[in-house]
Every structure is written in C-alpha cells, then in structure tokens.
Amino acid sequence: MALDTDAVRQIAHLARVRVPEADLEVLAGELSNILTWVEQLNDVATEDVPAMTSAVAVSLPMREDKVNEGDHEDAILANAPDRVRDFFAVPKVVD
Amino acid sequence: MSDLTTLTLSEARDGLAAGDFTSEELTTAYLRALETIRPLNAFVTETPERAVEMAKTSDARRAAGQAGVLEGLPVAIKDLFCTRGVQTTAGSRILDGFVPPYEATVTANMWAEGAIMLGKTNMDEFAMGSSNVTSCHGPVENPWRINGDNRSLAPGGSSGGSAASVAARAALAATGTDTGGSIRQPAAFCGIVGMKPTYGRCSRWGIVAFASSLDQAGPMARTVRDSAIMLQAMAGHDPKDSTSVPRDVPDYEAALTGDLRSLRIGIPEEYRMDGMPTEIEALWRQGIDWLKAEGAEVVDISLPHTKYALPTYYIVAPAEASSNLARYDGVRFGLRNGADGGDLTEMYEETRGFGFGQEVRRRVLIGTYVLSAGYYDAYYLKAQRVRSLIARDFSDAFETVDAILTPTTPSAAFPLGDKMDDPIAMYLNDVFTVPASLAGLPAISVPAGLDKNGLPLGLHLITNAFEEEMLFRVSGVLENAAAFATTPQTVA
C-alpha cells in the first residue's frame, strides 16, 4: 500500500498528532515502505486460524463490584497542567 | 574501580550477610560509580539521597534479622517504571516533569525485598527502539569500544541505560522491559545477561504501557544467578494487573543445578538467515557444542513461520501503542501545548505533535492506520492470525524439546547514528528475539563470546511458558561453558 501526503495528513488528524507540512512527504515514503514490507503476511494462509488476542491462557478474573480505594483527588490532580478545584481544566469546548 | 563494585549481585548479597561490609558502604561505592560513568548518559535521574536513606534503613533491618531477597543491594530502574515521588519520563518529552503519585508493582516488590534505588535509566522513547537513540534525553553510549576505534557505539535498546550501567559496573543489576527484544538485545550488545519472563509472570501495573499484549518486565544483571535472584523479587501475582498470572513464584536460584543430562535442546533451522555473519553462525555452533558436552541432546527443529514474526510484530505493536498512547493528550499529566488558541482539538494535536519524537510518531501513525475502518481486517486481524501460527510453532516444538538455542542478535553493537535512515533496517535487530515475544515465552540472552572487533555477542535460549526454572538451568550451564569474563573499556 502506497500512502500519499493527503492520506498521511488524514491519518495524522485521526491520531491527533500535528505533522508539519514539510514532513509529510518523507513520512509518506517511510510509512509506505513499512506497509509494503508487512504485506508479506498475505503469503500466509490464515482462513481457519483464530486471531491471537492474548499472550497468556487465562480468563479475565472478576472481583466484587465494590469501591476499594478512593479520596485521592490531590494525588490524581498533582500532575495536571491546569486544574480548577477538583477538576482537570481544558480549553472551552462548548460556547 | 572500587572492590565492592566488582562483586556480582550474589557475591554482594553473601558479603552483606557475612557482615564483610554494610549496605551503606556498598551503596556509597555505587553512587561514586554513577558519577564516574556520567559521560555514558546511562541515567536520566540519579537518586543519591534516597539511596543512602534506603541503605541505612536496610542495614537496620538486617541488624533486626529481617533481610529480604535483595536486602541492601543497589540497583538501577528503567525510566519506564513509575516510581513514587521520582520523575518518570519513559524517555519522552511528553512526560517531561511527570512525578508519579504511585509505585509500580515490580519496583514495590523489589523495595519490599530490601533493594536500594540508585536512579532511573535512560531508554528509547516509550521503549520504541533498538539503539537508545530515540530518547528525548539523548543517546546512551555503550561502555564497549571496537578494538583500536574510539567511535561511540549504541548500547542497544530500548533498555540501553540499564544495560550500559550494569555492564560498566555502576549498578549490581537493573530492571528492563521487553516488548520485542528490549531486554535481550541491549544485554547482548553490552555483554551482560538479560532475561524476559513469561508474559504474565511480572505485573505490568505502573509500567508505562507500549504494547500491552507483549510488554513484560525482567532482570538485567551480570550473571544468570543474579538474574534469578532479581526475578525472584520482581515476579508475582498482582490483582491490579488482570493479565498477571496467579501462580506461586518458585525458587529460581535453586533451579541452577548445573545438570543438563537427559535434556533436549532444539535448533530451529529457520533462524539460519541469509547473509548472517559467519561469526554469529560460529558462535551458535559453539553453543551447540557446549550444551552437547554437558550431556544435552541437541536436535534440529522447525519453526516454519519465523520469517513472518517481524512483520506481524510491526503491525501488532504499533496498533497497541497507538491505542495506549492516546492518553497523552495534555489534559491530566505531562506536556500541554497549544491551549492558548482556545480549541481542544488543536491542544491535542499540538501537544502530541511537539511531545512525540519521530519513531514514536511513525508507530502511532502506522498503528492508527492498521486499526482504521477498512484496513483493520487486512492488517491487524491478519497479524493476529499469523501470531497464532507463530505461537503454535513453539508449542509444537516444545512437545519434543526442553529449550531452544539461537543467537540473540544478527550483529554486535553498531556505531551510534548507524541505521537511522531506514526504520526497517533498525527493526531487523530484533529478528531473533521477536518470535518468543509474540508467543509470550520466557527467553534469556547470555554473553557467550567476542566478535573480531572485540565486541560481545550473546546466545539466546527460549523455553515453554512458565518454565523459567528450565531457562535458568540451561542458561546457567551455557554461561559456565562460555566463561565470558571480559569487561568493557569503560568501567566505573
């Protein structure tokens, strides 16, 4: 799969990563090379093969649906770039 | 070089137990070593005050008869482990200044067993790299040099600072993490032992996530015995990580019986790559002869999907990374950029555009693409299916063999700056380590010889899931046979 600069611009937007216009062409080349390289997987027949979704054969453990920890507002907010009272603050989303 | 820093971790443990020296003396010697090796850039953060304080507490605990597995032993921690009150950056500008309010389970386990923290080690950004050059703190230098050539060499990656600090005798041991080879490849490049346990053996809680179905913490040390002691303290079930396995931790050191009789070692034909340097091939053959001489039976095996492991990895790992790294958005911690314009999307894009380095950006974009509507089945689902076949290759092989022997890397350490123009050339460093990662299996790299330039080379052993004891047993014998005793040019 060859990606052009428009496709890279679109992927970057989906990933919410600002990519300078000047970088788009080089990135398109690099990403196209990687995608072409991984496409060798198409040589492997996988029709009846299940997808491997976990590296360890255990079922997810369940626990009682009960609060077991809390009241850590200050610790949780300690690294916040901006906070208002007990909330993370961000630029205004709704006018 | 102080006498105390020439000891291995097990020798230092025994010296402390015998009362030959105190943890405070040992720790002070290591803090001096840390200063000596500063030009290697192996540490991002040194924590000398905390180390001395921990050492004093440890000496008091020992006097009260309460010594843990790592009591009084100074170690280094990869900067991917969240350490309460100590900056944790994962080698990324986007986490600059982040001070975790909690402690990773693995490091908490180590402190509970008496270990002393010397500091946090440098690494590739978010553990994405094989050379330690993608770190926002700059590259680490390998303490080894090519004979008669003073160029700086890459320590390997992503746990490059951990590997360099242990090799240069500036830490008794260090923690690493391994997603596709990030413990084993730098261990091989720096002439030390690096071990990746079975997926689920060590808790991932509090370790900055890269690819969650692959990430696993493990020890980096100077000997196999030291690695076994380290893993003893690091491993264990943790209810805070749902993929951590509820199994008891065996006595790993007791597994070092030195006896290989009646064991079968598999040699996978698919690991004989075209263009593999003759020295690597020769070392591999030497490893086979060593194990035979110790009474093991060596048999040829086939792992037919080996060549598809790297392309599978470079779909699965970036896909998981793009999802995991979505949390770096400038809202809750770390860097925030572009908030002045007043638009939230702009803040996300500016924060991530500025905060991520080039390799991380590449992988986030690849991951976003292979998970996007219309491409998910063709790339991500396809890779997950091939991953099943790779895992099945190993489970078939372990029907007939106890361990598998391969080289760790296709070359020795390369000069810093090499392979930077071509991402795929860099990815090929992990060709021998990635298959075991995809299958979730334990594996270890043991220093086994020098190449013609005088640089260390590693041999790599893989065993079945949760057979770490077998892994230590075989690698202990391999280590004795190789008798690797050369030290790097830079030693603290």
Side-chain angles (χ1 to χ4, degrees), chain A residues 17-20 23-24 27 30-31, chain B residues 125 128 352-353 356-366:
Chain A
V17 178
R18 174 81 74 233
V19 174
D23 292 2
L24 286 173
L27 259 178
E30 288 172 351
L31 300 186
Chain B
E125 184 178 8
M128 298 180 195
R352 293 161 62 79
F356 291 149
Q358 287 191 17
E359 180 60 24
V360 171
R361 180 175 76 179
R362 247 187 319 259
R363 296 202 198 184
V364 165
L365 296 183
I366 284 283

Side-chain angles (χ1 to χ4, degrees), chain A residues 1 3 8 11-20 23 27 30-31 33-35 37-47 49-53 55-56 58 60-61 75 79-82 88-93, chain B residues 97-99 101 199 213 242 245 308 310-312 314-315 330-334 336 339 342 344-350 352-353 361-362 364-366 368-369 375 379 381-382 384-389 391 424 427 438:
Chain A
M1 174 67 77
L3 299 176
V8 175
I11 297 164
H13 179 65
L14 286 173
R16 299 293 185 268
V17 178
R18 174 81 74 233
V19 174
D23 292 2
L27 259 178
E30 288 172 351
L31 300 186
N33 283 343
I34 294 170
L35 289 171
W37 175 66
V38 300
E39 279 162 14
Q40 59 180 291
L41 296 189
N42 293 332
D43 301 344
V44 188
T46 53
E47 289 73 31
V49 181
M52 183 165 165
T53 52
V56 61
V58 290
L60 272 185
N79 283 285
D82 191 13
F88 296 105
V90 295
K92 203 163 160 186
V93 182
Chain B
F98 173 64
V99 178
Y199 182 85
S213 79
S242 64
V245 173
Y308 299 109
L310 268 184
T312 299
Y314 277 98
I315 294 173
V331 174
R332 290 161 300 159
F333 38 72
R336 170 181 288 193
L344 189 60
T345 302
E346 195 175 311
M347 184 188 91
Y348 294 153
E349 292 186 343
E350 292 295 335
R352 293 161 62 79
R361 180 175 76 179
R362 247 187 319 259
V364 165
L365 296 183
I366 284 283
T368 302
Y369 182 73
Y375 300 100
Y379 291 99
L381 190 60
K382 181 77 186 181
Q384 283 184 307
R385 291 186 199 277
V386 179
R387 187 176 177 187
S388 286
L389 294 173
I424 294 174
Y427 297 168
L438 288 168

Side-chain angles (χ1 to χ4, degrees), chain B residues 249-289:
Chain B
V249 179
D251 183 343
Y252 291 126
E253 201 180 354
L256 292 162
T257 61
D259 184 5
L260 290 195
R261 282 169 303 173
S262 81
L263 294 189
R264 288 163 67 89
I265 310 294
I267 308 300
E269 55 176 314
E270 290 80 6
Y271 281 60
R272 286 182 213 287
M273 305 268 167
D274 288 343
M276 185 156 87
T278 51
E279 287 171 296
I280 303 282
E281 176 104 44
L283 183 75
W284 194 11
R285 202 163 293 142
Q286 174 71 73
I288 292 170
D289 290 343

Side-chain angles (χ1 to χ4, degrees), chain A residues 65-83:
Chain A
D65 185 13
K66 206 173 89 183
V67 175
N68 53 17
E69 229 191 324
D71 299 326
H72 296 312
E73 288 84 353
D74 282 335
I76 289 165
L77 287 158
N79 283 285
D82 191 13
R83 72 181 275 189

Side-chain angles (χ1 to χ4, degrees), chain B residues 27-257:
Chain B
T27 302
T28 305
Y30 270 103
L31 290 173
R32 274 198 300 271
L34 236 62
E35 292 175 21
T36 314
I37 65 140
R38 273 184 196 150
L40 297 181
N41 198 28
F43 282 82
V44 172
T45 307
E46 298 176 7
T47 53
E49 293 87 9
R50 177 177 295 222
V52 170
E53 187 190 317
M54 287 174 100
K56 286 180 174 164
T57 310
S58 169
D59 285 330
R61 216 166 26 227
R62 183 181 296 281
Q66 298 164 336
V69 170
L70 294 177
E71 194 63 58
L73 301 170
V75 297
I77 303 297
K78 187 179 185 179
D79 206 27
L80 200 64
F81 292 79
C82 286
T83 40
R84 187 204 296 262
V86 176
Q87 174 179 265
T88 299
T89 69
S92 182
R93 191 150 57 173
I94 212 161
L95 273 175
D96 193 28
F98 173 64
V99 178
Y102 55 87
E103 186 77 27
T105 298
V106 162
T107 47
N109 289 346
M110 292 169 67
W111 313 143
E113 291 293 343
I116 311 297
M117 177 161 77
L118 293 168
K120 305 291 292 289
T121 57
N122 203 347
M123 54 177 284
D124 279 301
E125 184 178 8
F126 285 112
M128 298 180 195
S130 308
S131 61
N132 216 118
V133 299
T134 72
S135 168
C136 74
H137 308 288
V140 174
E141 271 186 37
N142 193 320
W144 293 81
R145 289 282 185 280
I146 294 171
N147 291 334
D149 181 339
N150 210 27
R151 275 180 300 169
S152 299
L153 305 176
S158 67
S159 312
S162 288
S165 63
V166 173
R169 307 313 192 241
L172 276 173
T175 62
T177 62
D178 193 311
T179 304
S182 280
I183 287 175
R184 294 161 284 159
Q185 185 255 14
F189 274 20
C190 291
I192 63 166
V193 176
M195 191 264 185
K196 181 197 94 74
T198 312
Y199 182 85
R201 186 79 272 191
C202 289
S203 170
R204 291 182 294 109
W205 197 82
I207 300 172
V208 176
F210 161 15
S212 301
S213 79
L214 296 157
D215 297 344
Q216 187 60 203
M220 307 179 77
R222 289 176 218 153
T223 68
V224 172
R225 181 175 299 277
D226 292 0
S227 306
I229 297 167
M230 277 282 282
L231 185 62
Q232 192 78 42
M234 296 167 71
H237 177 238
D238 177 14
K240 286 186 288 199
D241 172 5
S242 64
T243 61
S244 144
V245 173
R247 281 179 181 238
D248 290 339
V249 179
D251 183 343
Y252 291 126
E253 201 180 354
L256 292 162
T257 61

